[in-house]
Amino acid sequence: MLRIAPTFTVETPTTVDEVVALLQRHGPEARVVAGGTDVMPNLKHGLYEPKVLVSLGRVQGLDGLDLSGDPLSLGALVTLHRLAEHPEVRHLLPSLAAAVGHVAGPQHRRMGTLGGNVCLDTRCVYINQTYFWREALGFCIKKDGTECHVTRTGKKCVAAASNDSAPPLLTLDARLEIVGVGGRREVALDDFYVNDGVKNNALAQGEVVTRILVPRPAPIRRFGFDKLRIRESVDFPMLNVAVAFDLVDGQARRPDIVVSAIAARPRRVKGLPEGLLNHVLVAEWGEKAFQSTRPLPNINGDVEWRREMVPVLVRRAVAAATE
Ligand SMILES: Cc1cc2nc3c(=O)[nH]c(=O)nc-3n(C[C@H](O)[C@H](O)[C@H](O)COP(=O)(O)OP(=O)(O)OC[C@H]3O[C@@H](n4cnc5c(N)ncnc54)[C@H](O)[C@@H]3O)c2cc1C
Ligand code: SF4
């Protein structure tokens, strides 16, 4: 039997206030859509069934890039393509430009937005399937069911954060500007992601991300990113790693590494040593990252292999940072 995608209406507000009012009026029956590159496949698969899509496409002022001050301001509607190609973004935020330049394929990056990427839903081999596939196996906690096919016994969804912008933005200490009925608030990206695959962010009902704010990096700070995926285009990450550190006279200080696509929330590696930046130090960082990473069979790729690749990606990300 053919399952038709549910019918919905599309609202096209032109101001953030109108967006918030629509989200308030329709409550849980409404869903925000930006570029729609993730929302549309998910709608077809019945992963959610909103009655109203609130499109951000015509909202004025959300696609601005202001790189003149501190913090740098990246509008939620800025496309991934624009960010990846922007010379000043590539210069100031090289790991972010690299990460968004490796999202999906060229068409997705021209439609897909930074806000949509930051708010991307988690993914799992048992949920990103057609309705009939999921029905045949038995629905799971994330939608319509009560068990998790990954952990079997767990009562929590462990679907993986799969957005490539999150690790570099975390190493950049980014903050989000969020607007809702209560007005405007700012939240550190560190506090935005939560470890729950059903909904892995702290957006309240009716709230929308309007800007991503990034402290202007100091010239001594280095940033790198690398990603593991099946093909060199289109595919979601099986693992992604962002690194950042200060580099002065060959010494690496304040190292920061974030690993993602392993759990619902990106993971920051703790206890990284400082010192002369050489292969010994980078191997120590890789080992720390390896020890703190336990991939799950929630996305494609053998879990042991994905774990073994963590130090490799750390090394490549450091190489990218020092190029
Ligand atoms: C074949 C394919 C491959 C892909 N590969 C990758 C990949 O390698 N890496 C990757 O990171 N992504 C990948 N994606 C997912 C997607 O294309 C990108 O993440 C894209 O950046 C999503 O942006 P969007 O504007 O299209 O978001 P949408 O699809 O419009 O929205 C995504 C989610 O964010 C919410 N949302 C959007 N904007 C806002 C906002 N301003 N405030 C609050 N909530 C908001 C929506 O409600 C929805 O839940 C892939 C998608 C496809 C179809
Ligand atoms: S992790 Fe478990 S509950 Fe979550 S989507 Fe996968 S199978 Fe479903």
Side-chain angles (χ1 to χ4, degrees):
M1 186 176 57
L2 182 65
R3 186 175 184 275
I4 311 279
T7 53
F8 51 82
T9 56
V10 180
E11 297 280 0
T12 54
T14 54
T15 66
V16 174
D17 286 348
E18 284 170 31
V19 172
V20 171
L22 282 163
L23 292 176
Q24 192 184 17
R25 187 183 320 149
H26 296 287
E29 299 203 319
R31 185 164 200 111
V32 167
V33 60
T37 59
D38 198 57
V39 166
M40 297 320 286
N42 290 351
L43 275 177
K44 284 186 182 173
H45 287 172
L47 298 192
Y48 32 72
E49 294 152 285
K51 298 265 185 303
V52 183
L53 281 185
V54 179
S55 169
L56 301 183
R58 293 191 189 158
V59 177
Q60 303 297 310
L62 288 188
D63 64 351
L65 265 186
D66 184 355
L67 306 173
S68 60
D70 188 3
L72 313 175
S73 167
L74 317 175
L77 270 195
V78 173
T79 65
L80 305 180
H81 171 78
R82 186 169 162 215
L83 276 179
E85 298 297 319
H86 197 289
E88 218 176 330
V89 174
R90 291 165 72 114
H91 172 66
L92 288 168
L93 310 172
S95 57
L96 179 65
V100 298
H102 283 84
V103 167
Q107 295 92 335
H108 302 100
R109 293 195 292 274
R110 280 176 169 77
M111 291 296 293
T113 65
L114 184 60
N117 196 265
V118 166
C119 299
L120 189 73
D121 203 354
T122 56
R123 294 181 64 81
C124 171
V125 283
Y126 296 104
I127 194 77
N128 295 102
Q129 303 286 353
T130 64
Y131 182 87
F132 287 113
W133 192 102
R134 292 185 289 116
E135 186 184 40
L137 180 70
F139 296 118
C140 70
I141 296 169
K142 188 159 162 79
K143 179 80 164 68
D144 298 331
T146 53
E147 78 171 289
C148 172
H149 304 304
V150 174
T151 58
R152 305 263 176 210
T153 51
K155 292 280 169 253
K156 198 170 165 188
C157 170
V158 293
S162 300
N163 44 355
D164 284 307
S165 66
L169 284 173
L170 283 162
T171 62
L172 283 157
D173 298 326
R175 301 178 68 77
L176 301 182
E177 180 187 77
I178 294 172
V179 178
V181 277
R184 172 191 176 282
R185 68 181 175 114
E186 262 185 43
V187 59
L189 199 59
D190 252 325
D191 301 326
F192 183 69
Y193 293 119
V194 293
N195 209 8
D196 182 350
V198 173
K199 181 180 177 296
N200 79 332
N201 69 49
L203 266 189
Q205 173 69 45
E207 287 189 323
V208 64
V209 174
T210 47
R211 287 190 300 159
I212 294 86
L213 303 169
V214 180
R216 176 174 285 274
I220 55 168
R221 197 87 180 139
R222 299 283 179 271
F223 301 96
F225 172 83
D226 202 39
K227 166 175 177 175
L228 184 67
R229 55 178 165 175
I230 296 172
R231 295 166 293 187
E232 278 306 301
S233 68
V234 177
D235 289 319
F236 280 92
M238 292 192 284
L239 192 68
N240 53 18
V241 170
V243 303
F245 51 90
D246 293 346
L247 188 62
V248 181
D249 297 334
Q251 297 285 325
R253 303 279 177 227
R254 300 197 306 120
D256 188 15
I257 296 180
V258 175
V259 183
S260 194
I262 47 169
R265 189 189 192 288
R267 183 160 304 158
R268 182 163 259 136
V269 180
K270 299 208 171 77
L272 295 170
E274 300 184 333
L276 186 67
L277 185 66
N278 57 21
H279 68 278
V280 177
L281 186 73
V282 177
E284 282 183 56
W285 290 354
E287 178 61 19
K288 290 273 183 199
F290 174 83
Q291 291 302 342
S292 67
T293 305
R294 299 264 184 294
L296 293 165
N298 50 4
I299 55 175
N300 289 322
D302 174 75
V303 288
E304 292 307 322
W305 175 65
R306 282 166 57 213
R307 192 170 181 218
E308 294 286 342
M309 287 302 287
V310 171
V312 179
L313 263 63
V314 167
R315 204 171 61 232
R316 290 180 188 162
V318 172
T322 50
E323 261 170 16

